[in-house]
PDB file of all heavy atoms in Angstrom:
ATOM      1  N   PHE S 291     130.157  -1.785 113.759  1.00 83.00           N
ATOM      2  CA  PHE S 291     130.762  -0.506 114.160  1.00 83.00           C
ATOM      3  C   PHE S 291     129.682   0.507 114.531  1.00 83.00           C
ATOM      4  O   PHE S 291     129.816   1.250 115.514  1.00 83.00           O
ATOM      5  CB  PHE S 291     131.609   0.046 113.020  1.00 83.00           C
ATOM      6  CG  PHE S 291     131.969   1.500 113.189  1.00 83.00           C
ATOM      7  CD1 PHE S 291     132.898   1.903 114.133  1.00 83.00           C
ATOM      8  CD2 PHE S 291     131.357   2.482 112.415  1.00 83.00           C
ATOM      9  CE1 PHE S 291     133.210   3.240 114.302  1.00 83.00           C
ATOM     10  CE2 PHE S 291     131.663   3.817 112.574  1.00 83.00           C
ATOM     11  CZ  PHE S 291     132.599   4.203 113.520  1.00 83.00           C
ATOM     12  N   LEU S 292     128.587   0.520 113.778  1.00 86.00           N
ATOM     13  CA  LEU S 292     127.521   1.488 114.045  1.00 86.00           C
ATOM     14  C   LEU S 292     126.756   1.171 115.324  1.00 86.00           C
ATOM     15  O   LEU S 292     126.376   2.075 116.065  1.00 86.00           O
ATOM     16  CB  LEU S 292     126.555   1.546 112.858  1.00 86.00           C
ATOM     17  CG  LEU S 292     127.100   2.119 111.538  1.00 86.00           C
ATOM     18  CD1 LEU S 292     126.060   1.958 110.432  1.00 86.00           C
ATOM     19  CD2 LEU S 292     127.488   3.580 111.688  1.00 86.00           C
ATOM     20  N   LEU S 293     126.552  -0.126 115.577  1.00 84.00           N
ATOM     21  CA  LEU S 293     125.644  -0.526 116.660  1.00 84.00           C
ATOM     22  C   LEU S 293     126.338  -0.817 117.982  1.00 84.00           C
ATOM     23  O   LEU S 293     125.728  -0.684 119.047  1.00 84.00           O
ATOM     24  CB  LEU S 293     124.829  -1.749 116.228  1.00 84.00           C
ATOM     25  CG  LEU S 293     123.891  -1.514 115.037  1.00 84.00           C
ATOM     26  CD1 LEU S 293     123.246  -2.820 114.601  1.00 84.00           C
ATOM     27  CD2 LEU S 293     122.822  -0.490 115.405  1.00 84.00           C
ATOM     28  N   LEU S 294     127.602  -1.225 117.931  1.00 80.00           N
ATOM     29  CA  LEU S 294     128.298  -1.585 119.170  1.00 80.00           C
ATOM     30  C   LEU S 294     128.981  -0.359 119.765  1.00 80.00           C
ATOM     31  O   LEU S 294     129.892   0.208 119.161  1.00 80.00           O
ATOM     32  CB  LEU S 294     129.329  -2.682 118.901  1.00 80.00           C
ATOM     33  CG  LEU S 294     128.754  -4.024 118.409  1.00 80.00           C
ATOM     34  CD1 LEU S 294     129.876  -5.022 118.151  1.00 80.00           C
ATOM     35  CD2 LEU S 294     127.765  -4.579 119.432  1.00 80.00           C
ATOM     36  N   ASP S 295     128.554   0.037 120.943  1.00 69.00           N
ATOM     37  CA  ASP S 295     129.129   1.218 121.579  1.00 69.00           C
ATOM     38  C   ASP S 295     130.595   1.028 121.918  1.00 69.00           C
ATOM     39  O   ASP S 295     131.352   1.997 122.061  1.00 69.00           O
ATOM     40  CB  ASP S 295     128.366   1.559 122.870  1.00 69.00           C
ATOM     41  CG  ASP S 295     126.917   1.953 122.585  1.00 69.00           C
ATOM     42  OD1 ASP S 295     126.613   2.218 121.393  1.00 69.00           O
ATOM     43  OD2 ASP S 295     126.110   1.989 123.537  1.00 69.00           O
ATOM     44  N   SER S 296     131.004  -0.230 122.031  1.00 65.00           N
ATOM     45  CA  SER S 296     132.383  -0.504 122.446  1.00 65.00           C
ATOM     46  C   SER S 296     133.383  -0.280 121.318  1.00 65.00           C
ATOM     47  O   SER S 296     134.583  -0.200 121.561  1.00 65.00           O
ATOM     48  CB  SER S 296     132.506  -1.951 122.941  1.00 65.00           C
ATOM     49  OG  SER S 296     132.118  -2.858 121.916  1.00 65.00           O
ATOM     50  N   MET S 297     132.901  -0.184 120.062  1.00 61.00           N
ATOM     51  CA  MET S 297     133.812  -0.024 118.923  1.00 61.00           C
ATOM     52  C   MET S 297     133.995   1.453 118.605  1.00 61.00           C
ATOM     53  O   MET S 297     133.032   2.216 118.521  1.00 61.00           O
ATOM     54  CB  MET S 297     133.256  -0.736 117.680  1.00 61.00           C
ATOM     55  CG  MET S 297     133.276  -2.250 117.781  1.00 61.00           C
ATOM     56  SD  MET S 297     132.804  -3.059 116.230  1.00 61.00           S
ATOM     57  CE  MET S 297     134.178  -2.623 115.175  1.00 61.00           C
ATOM     58  N   ASP S 298     135.269   1.856 118.457  1.00 62.00           N
ATOM     59  CA  ASP S 298     135.538   3.234 118.045  1.00 62.00           C
ATOM     60  C   ASP S 298     136.001   3.227 116.593  1.00 62.00           C
ATOM     61  O   ASP S 298     136.243   2.159 116.017  1.00 62.00           O
ATOM     62  CB  ASP S 298     136.576   3.895 118.972  1.00 62.00           C
ATOM     63  CG  ASP S 298     137.909   3.165 118.960  1.00 62.00           C
ATOM     64  OD1 ASP S 298     138.285   2.634 117.892  1.00 62.00           O
ATOM     65  OD2 ASP S 298     138.573   3.124 120.009  1.00 62.00           O
ATOM     66  N   PRO S 299     136.159   4.375 115.960  1.00 59.00           N
ATOM     67  CA  PRO S 299     136.500   4.427 114.538  1.00 59.00           C
ATOM     68  C   PRO S 299     137.756   3.673 114.163  1.00 59.00           C
ATOM     69  O   PRO S 299     137.825   3.069 113.086  1.00 59.00           O
ATOM     70  CB  PRO S 299     136.664   5.930 114.284  1.00 59.00           C
ATOM     71  CG  PRO S 299     135.769   6.570 115.282  1.00 59.00           C
ATOM     72  CD  PRO S 299     135.856   5.708 116.508  1.00 59.00           C
ATOM     73  N   SER S 300     138.759   3.653 115.005  1.00 55.00           N
ATOM     74  CA  SER S 300     140.015   2.996 114.653  1.00 55.00           C
ATOM     75  C   SER S 300     139.853   1.486 114.509  1.00 55.00           C
ATOM     76  O   SER S 300     140.643   0.834 113.841  1.00 55.00           O
ATOM     77  CB  SER S 300     141.076   3.296 115.714  1.00 55.00           C
ATOM     78  OG  SER S 300     140.661   2.788 116.974  1.00 55.00           O
ATOM     79  N   GLU S 301     138.817   0.922 115.119  1.00 53.00           N
ATOM     80  CA  GLU S 301     138.632  -0.523 115.066  1.00 53.00           C
ATOM     81  C   GLU S 301     137.905  -0.979 113.799  1.00 53.00           C
ATOM     82  O   GLU S 301     137.864  -2.144 113.498  1.00 53.00           O
ATOM     83  CB  GLU S 301     137.829  -0.989 116.289  1.00 53.00           C
ATOM     84  CG  GLU S 301     138.541  -0.784 117.612  1.00 53.00           C
ATOM     85  CD  GLU S 301     137.672  -1.256 118.776  1.00 53.00           C
ATOM     86  OE1 GLU S 301     137.568  -2.486 118.981  1.00 53.00           O
ATOM     87  OE2 GLU S 301     137.083  -0.401 119.450  1.00 53.00           O
ATOM     88  N   ASP S 302     137.347  -0.030 113.038  1.00 52.00           N
ATOM     89  CA  ASP S 302     136.605  -0.421 111.846  1.00 52.00           C
ATOM     90  C   ASP S 302     137.163   0.218 110.591  1.00 52.00           C
ATOM     91  O   ASP S 302     136.558   0.166 109.531  1.00 52.00           O
ATOM     92  CB  ASP S 302     135.123  -0.036 111.989  1.00 52.00           C
ATOM     93  CG  ASP S 302     134.246  -0.799 111.001  1.00 52.00           C
ATOM     94  OD1 ASP S 302     134.139  -2.020 111.144  1.00 52.00           O
ATOM     95  OD2 ASP S 302     133.708  -0.152 110.083  1.00 52.00           O
ATOM     96  N   GLY S 303     138.319   0.821 110.707  1.00 49.00           N
ATOM     97  CA  GLY S 303     138.909   1.443 109.528  1.00 49.00           C
ATOM     98  C   GLY S 303     138.246   2.747 109.150  1.00 49.00           C
ATOM     99  O   GLY S 303     138.521   3.300 108.091  1.00 49.00           O
ATOM    100  N   ALA S 304     137.364   3.237 110.012  1.00 51.00           N
ATOM    101  CA  ALA S 304     136.675   4.479 109.672  1.00 51.00           C
ATOM    102  C   ALA S 304     137.527   5.705 109.964  1.00 51.00           C
ATOM    103  O   ALA S 304     137.243   6.783 109.479  1.00 51.00           O
ATOM    104  CB  ALA S 304     135.369   4.580 110.466  1.00 51.00           C
ATOM    105  N   ASN S 305     138.572   5.497 110.777  1.00 48.00           N
ATOM    106  CA  ASN S 305     139.404   6.643 111.153  1.00 48.00           C
ATOM    107  C   ASN S 305     140.535   6.844 110.145  1.00 48.00           C
ATOM    108  O   ASN S 305     141.704   6.835 110.485  1.00 48.00           O
ATOM    109  CB  ASN S 305     139.973   6.420 112.554  1.00 48.00           C
ATOM    110  CG  ASN S 305     140.536   7.686 113.138  1.00 48.00           C
ATOM    111  OD1 ASN S 305     140.140   8.760 112.770  1.00 48.00           O
ATOM    112  ND2 ASN S 305     141.496   7.521 114.051  1.00 48.00           N
ATOM    113  N   GLN S 306     140.159   6.978 108.884  1.00 45.00           N
ATOM    114  CA  GLN S 306     141.129   7.195 107.824  1.00 45.00           C
ATOM    115  C   GLN S 306     141.318   8.690 107.643  1.00 45.00           C
ATOM    116  O   GLN S 306     140.519   9.494 108.128  1.00 45.00           O
ATOM    117  CB  GLN S 306     140.639   6.547 106.532  1.00 45.00           C
ATOM    118  CG  GLN S 306     140.486   5.043 106.659  1.00 45.00           C
ATOM    119  CD  GLN S 306     139.850   4.455 105.423  1.00 45.00           C
ATOM    120  OE1 GLN S 306     139.473   5.162 104.505  1.00 45.00           O
ATOM    121  NE2 GLN S 306     139.718   3.146 105.412  1.00 45.00           N
ATOM    122  N   PRO S 307     142.365   9.096 106.895  1.00 43.00           N
ATOM    123  CA  PRO S 307     142.568  10.524 106.675  1.00 43.00           C
ATOM    124  C   PRO S 307     141.338  11.148 106.039  1.00 43.00           C
ATOM    125  O   PRO S 307     140.710  10.560 105.168  1.00 43.00           O
ATOM    126  CB  PRO S 307     143.766  10.556 105.698  1.00 43.00           C
ATOM    127  CG  PRO S 307     144.499   9.277 105.982  1.00 43.00           C
ATOM    128  CD  PRO S 307     143.443   8.286 106.314  1.00 43.00           C
ATOM    129  N   ALA S 308     140.998  12.315 106.491  1.00 44.00           N
ATOM    130  CA  ALA S 308     139.807  12.978 105.968  1.00 44.00           C
ATOM    131  C   ALA S 308     139.962  13.292 104.490  1.00 44.00           C
ATOM    132  O   ALA S 308     141.066  13.480 103.983  1.00 44.00           O
ATOM    133  CB  ALA S 308     139.553  14.277 106.737  1.00 44.00           C
ATOM    134  N   GLU S 309     138.852  13.360 103.782  1.00 47.00           N
ATOM    135  CA  GLU S 309     138.871  13.690 102.372  1.00 47.00           C
ATOM    136  C   GLU S 309     139.263  15.153 102.220  1.00 47.00           C
ATOM    137  O   GLU S 309     139.268  15.938 103.162  1.00 47.00           O
ATOM    138  CB  GLU S 309     137.491  13.428 101.761  1.00 47.00           C
ATOM    139  CG  GLU S 309     137.073  11.989 101.837  1.00 47.00           C
ATOM    140  CD  GLU S 309     135.702  11.787 101.208  1.00 47.00           C
ATOM    141  OE1 GLU S 309     135.133  12.770 100.704  1.00 47.00           O
ATOM    142  OE2 GLU S 309     135.221  10.656 101.243  1.00 47.00           O
ATOM    143  N   GLU S 310     139.601  15.566 101.004  1.00 52.00           N
ATOM    144  CA  GLU S 310     139.977  16.938 100.746  1.00 52.00           C
ATOM    145  C   GLU S 310     138.838  17.871 101.156  1.00 52.00           C
ATOM    146  O   GLU S 310     137.667  17.517 101.134  1.00 52.00           O
ATOM    147  CB  GLU S 310     140.282  17.111  99.262  1.00 52.00           C
ATOM    148  CG  GLU S 310     139.113  16.763  98.377  1.00 52.00           C
ATOM    149  CD  GLU S 310     139.481  16.773  96.914  1.00 52.00           C
ATOM    150  OE1 GLU S 310     139.939  15.724  96.444  1.00 52.00           O
ATOM    151  OE2 GLU S 310     139.302  17.806  96.265  1.00 52.00           O
ATOM    152  N   ALA S 311     139.215  19.077 101.568  1.00 57.00           N
ATOM    153  CA  ALA S 311     138.221  20.033 102.023  1.00 57.00           C
ATOM    154  C   ALA S 311     137.252  20.359 100.890  1.00 57.00           C
ATOM    155  O   ALA S 311     137.651  20.527  99.736  1.00 57.00           O
ATOM    156  CB  ALA S 311     138.917  21.302 102.505  1.00 57.00           C
ATOM    157  N   LEU S 312     135.976  20.442 101.239  1.00 66.00           N
ATOM    158  CA  LEU S 312     134.953  20.721 100.245  1.00 66.00           C
ATOM    159  C   LEU S 312     134.692  22.222 100.163  1.00 66.00           C
ATOM    160  O   LEU S 312     134.797  22.939 101.153  1.00 66.00           O
ATOM    161  CB  LEU S 312     133.656  19.992 100.603  1.00 66.00           C
ATOM    162  CG  LEU S 312     133.742  18.474 100.734  1.00 66.00           C
ATOM    163  CD1 LEU S 312     132.379  17.908 101.098  1.00 66.00           C
ATOM    164  CD2 LEU S 312     134.235  17.845  99.444  1.00 66.00           C
ATOM    165  N   SER S 313     134.351  22.666  98.957  1.00 72.00           N
ATOM    166  CA  SER S 313     134.007  24.073  98.774  1.00 72.00           C
ATOM    167  C   SER S 313     132.658  24.339  99.424  1.00 72.00           C
ATOM    168  O   SER S 313     131.703  23.589  99.222  1.00 72.00           O
ATOM    169  CB  SER S 313     133.947  24.409  97.281  1.00 72.00           C
ATOM    170  OG  SER S 313     135.196  24.179  96.665  1.00 72.00           O
ATOM    171  N   SER S 314     132.581  25.410 100.185  1.00 77.00           N
ATOM    172  CA  SER S 314     131.332  25.772 100.838  1.00 77.00           C
ATOM    173  C   SER S 314     130.482  26.605  99.884  1.00 77.00           C
ATOM    174  O   SER S 314     130.982  27.535  99.235  1.00 77.00           O
ATOM    175  CB  SER S 314     131.624  26.559 102.115  1.00 77.00           C
ATOM    176  OG  SER S 314     130.420  26.934 102.752  1.00 77.00           O
ATOM    177  N   VAL S 315     129.212  26.271  99.777  1.00 81.00           N
ATOM    178  CA  VAL S 315     128.313  26.935  98.837  1.00 81.00           C
ATOM    179  C   VAL S 315     127.204  27.640  99.611  1.00 81.00           C
ATOM    180  O   VAL S 315     126.423  26.999 100.322  1.00 81.00           O
ATOM    181  CB  VAL S 315     127.695  25.926  97.852  1.00 81.00           C
ATOM    182  CG1 VAL S 315     126.676  26.612  96.958  1.00 81.00           C
ATOM    183  CG2 VAL S 315     128.789  25.281  97.013  1.00 81.00           C
ATOM    184  N   ALA S 316     127.134  28.956  99.484  1.00 86.00           N
ATOM    185  CA  ALA S 316     126.074  29.744 100.094  1.00 86.00           C
ATOM    186  C   ALA S 316     124.932  29.897  99.096  1.00 86.00           C
ATOM    187  O   ALA S 316     125.076  29.590  97.905  1.00 86.00           O
ATOM    188  CB  ALA S 316     126.601  31.112 100.513  1.00 86.00           C
ATOM    189  N   LEU S 317     123.807  30.390  99.559  1.00 88.00           N
ATOM    190  CA  LEU S 317     122.629  30.527  98.699  1.00 88.00           C
ATOM    191  C   LEU S 317     122.893  31.479  97.536  1.00 88.00           C
ATOM    192  O   LEU S 317     122.466  31.223  96.409  1.00 88.00           O
ATOM    193  CB  LEU S 317     121.440  31.019  99.526  1.00 88.00           C
ATOM    194  CG  LEU S 317     120.102  31.149  98.774  1.00 88.00           C
ATOM    195  CD1 LEU S 317     119.704  29.820  98.145  1.00 88.00           C
ATOM    196  CD2 LEU S 317     119.007  31.632  99.720  1.00 88.00           C
ATOM    197  N   GLU S 318     123.626  32.568  97.797  1.00 90.00           N
ATOM    198  CA  GLU S 318     123.908  33.510  96.715  1.00 90.00           C
ATOM    199  C   GLU S 318     124.808  32.886  95.650  1.00 90.00           C
ATOM    200  O   GLU S 318     124.712  33.234  94.461  1.00 90.00           O
ATOM    201  CB  GLU S 318     124.536  34.803  97.242  1.00 90.00           C
ATOM    202  CG  GLU S 318     125.770  34.617  98.107  1.00 90.00           C
ATOM    203  CD  GLU S 318     125.441  34.523  99.590  1.00 90.00           C
ATOM    204  OE1 GLU S 318     124.311  34.112  99.931  1.00 90.00           O
ATOM    205  OE2 GLU S 318     126.317  34.863 100.409  1.00 90.00           O
ATOM    206  N   ASP S 319     125.693  31.962  96.055  1.00 90.00           N
ATOM    207  CA  ASP S 319     126.536  31.255  95.093  1.00 90.00           C
ATOM    208  C   ASP S 319     125.687  30.376  94.181  1.00 90.00           C
ATOM    209  O   ASP S 319     125.883  30.355  92.965  1.00 90.00           O
ATOM    210  CB  ASP S 319     127.575  30.393  95.817  1.00 90.00           C
ATOM    211  CG  ASP S 319     128.522  31.216  96.664  1.00 90.00           C
ATOM    212  OD1 ASP S 319     128.853  32.337  96.249  1.00 90.00           O
ATOM    213  OD2 ASP S 319     128.929  30.738  97.741  1.00 90.00           O
ATOM    214  N   ALA S 320     124.751  29.640  94.788  1.00 91.00           N
ATOM    215  CA  ALA S 320     123.890  28.754  94.009  1.00 91.00           C
ATOM    216  C   ALA S 320     123.000  29.551  93.058  1.00 91.00           C
ATOM    217  O   ALA S 320     122.838  29.184  91.886  1.00 91.00           O
ATOM    218  CB  ALA S 320     123.029  27.904  94.951  1.00 91.00           C
ATOM    219  N   ASP S 321     122.439  30.654  93.536  1.00 93.00           N
ATOM    220  CA  ASP S 321     121.593  31.488  92.679  1.00 93.00           C
ATOM    221  C   ASP S 321     122.398  32.088  91.534  1.00 93.00           C
ATOM    222  O   ASP S 321     121.940  32.132  90.387  1.00 93.00           O
ATOM    223  CB  ASP S 321     120.953  32.614  93.501  1.00 93.00           C
ATOM    224  CG  ASP S 321     119.773  32.119  94.327  1.00 93.00           C
ATOM    225  OD1 ASP S 321     119.219  31.048  93.992  1.00 93.00           O
ATOM    226  OD2 ASP S 321     119.408  32.787  95.310  1.00 93.00           O
ATOM    227  N   GLY S 322     123.596  32.564  91.836  1.00 92.00           N
ATOM    228  CA  GLY S 322     124.454  33.138  90.796  1.00 92.00           C
ATOM    229  C   GLY S 322     124.819  32.114  89.735  1.00 92.00           C
ATOM    230  O   GLY S 322     124.840  32.420  88.537  1.00 92.00           O
ATOM    231  N   TYR S 323     125.103  30.905  90.171  1.00 92.00           N
ATOM    232  CA  TYR S 323     125.466  29.844  89.235  1.00 92.00           C
ATOM    233  C   TYR S 323     124.297  29.499  88.318  1.00 92.00           C
ATOM    234  O   TYR S 323     124.463  29.360  87.102  1.00 92.00           O
ATOM    235  CB  TYR S 323     125.909  28.610  90.023  1.00 92.00           C
ATOM    236  CG  TYR S 323     126.308  27.427  89.168  1.00 92.00           C
ATOM    237  CD1 TYR S 323     127.355  27.520  88.263  1.00 92.00           C
ATOM    238  CD2 TYR S 323     125.639  26.203  89.284  1.00 92.00           C
ATOM    239  CE1 TYR S 323     127.726  26.433  87.485  1.00 92.00           C
ATOM    240  CE2 TYR S 323     126.014  25.118  88.523  1.00 92.00           C
ATOM    241  CZ  TYR S 323     127.055  25.241  87.625  1.00 92.00           C
ATOM    242  OH  TYR S 323     127.413  24.160  86.853  1.00 92.00           O
ATOM    243  N   MET S 324     123.100  29.374  88.881  1.00 94.00           N
ATOM    244  CA  MET S 324     121.929  29.036  88.071  1.00 94.00           C
ATOM    245  C   MET S 324     121.570  30.180  87.123  1.00 94.00           C
ATOM    246  O   MET S 324     121.149  29.934  85.981  1.00 94.00           O
ATOM    247  CB  MET S 324     120.743  28.685  88.969  1.00 94.00           C
ATOM    248  CG  MET S 324     120.910  27.377  89.736  1.00 94.00           C
ATOM    249  SD  MET S 324     121.428  25.977  88.703  1.00 94.00           S
ATOM    250  CE  MET S 324     120.177  25.962  87.430  1.00 94.00           C
ATOM    251  N   ASN S 325     121.721  31.418  87.561  1.00 93.00           N
ATOM    252  CA  ASN S 325     121.468  32.560  86.671  1.00 93.00           C
ATOM    253  C   ASN S 325     122.468  32.580  85.519  1.00 93.00           C
ATOM    254  O   ASN S 325     122.112  32.904  84.376  1.00 93.00           O
ATOM    255  CB  ASN S 325     121.551  33.875  87.453  1.00 93.00           C
ATOM    256  CG  ASN S 325     120.409  34.026  88.443  1.00 93.00           C
ATOM    257  OD1 ASN S 325     119.354  33.421  88.278  1.00 93.00           O
ATOM    258  ND2 ASN S 325     120.618  34.821  89.478  1.00 93.00           N
ATOM    259  N   TYR S 326     123.713  32.233  85.822  1.00 92.00           N
ATOM    260  CA  TYR S 326     124.739  32.152  84.773  1.00 92.00           C
ATOM    261  C   TYR S 326     124.385  31.079  83.748  1.00 92.00           C
ATOM    262  O   TYR S 326     124.482  31.309  82.536  1.00 92.00           O
ATOM    263  CB  TYR S 326     126.096  31.859  85.408  1.00 92.00           C
ATOM    264  CG  TYR S 326     127.177  31.520  84.411  1.00 92.00           C
ATOM    265  CD1 TYR S 326     127.857  32.519  83.723  1.00 92.00           C
ATOM    266  CD2 TYR S 326     127.510  30.194  84.130  1.00 92.00           C
ATOM    267  CE1 TYR S 326     128.839  32.214  82.796  1.00 92.00           C
ATOM    268  CE2 TYR S 326     128.483  29.872  83.211  1.00 92.00           C
ATOM    269  CZ  TYR S 326     129.150  30.885  82.532  1.00 92.00           C
ATOM    270  OH  TYR S 326     130.108  30.570  81.611  1.00 92.00           O
ATOM    271  N   LEU S 327     123.943  29.909  84.225  1.00 93.00           N
ATOM    272  CA  LEU S 327     123.586  28.819  83.305  1.00 93.00           C
ATOM    273  C   LEU S 327     122.347  29.175  82.480  1.00 93.00           C
ATOM    274  O   LEU S 327     122.263  28.817  81.297  1.00 93.00           O
ATOM    275  CB  LEU S 327     123.333  27.534  84.090  1.00 93.00           C
ATOM    276  CG  LEU S 327     124.554  26.860  84.720  1.00 93.00           C
ATOM    277  CD1 LEU S 327     124.144  25.556  85.388  1.00 93.00           C
ATOM    278  CD2 LEU S 327     125.639  26.590  83.675  1.00 93.00           C
TER     279      LEU S 327
END
């Protein structure tokens, strides 16, 4: 699937429903979390 240009996601099972949306983390969020810990 990775190497053959002729294969699209639907042919390799890669076109599955997307995973749940991930929380976006900005730098201030990471700094705040570490300061809290």
Side-chain angles (χ1 to χ4, degrees):
F291 165 72
L292 293 174
L293 296 174
L294 297 179
D295 296 346
S296 59
M297 290 187 67
D298 61 34
S300 62
E301 295 179 76
D302 198 67
N305 195 25
Q306 298 173 357
E309 298 180 2
E310 59 187 87
L312 302 180
S313 299
S314 179
V315 175
L317 183 57
E318 53 268 26
D319 298 325
D321 282 340
Y323 180 60
M324 291 311 305
N325 292 336
Y326 170 81
L327 289 183

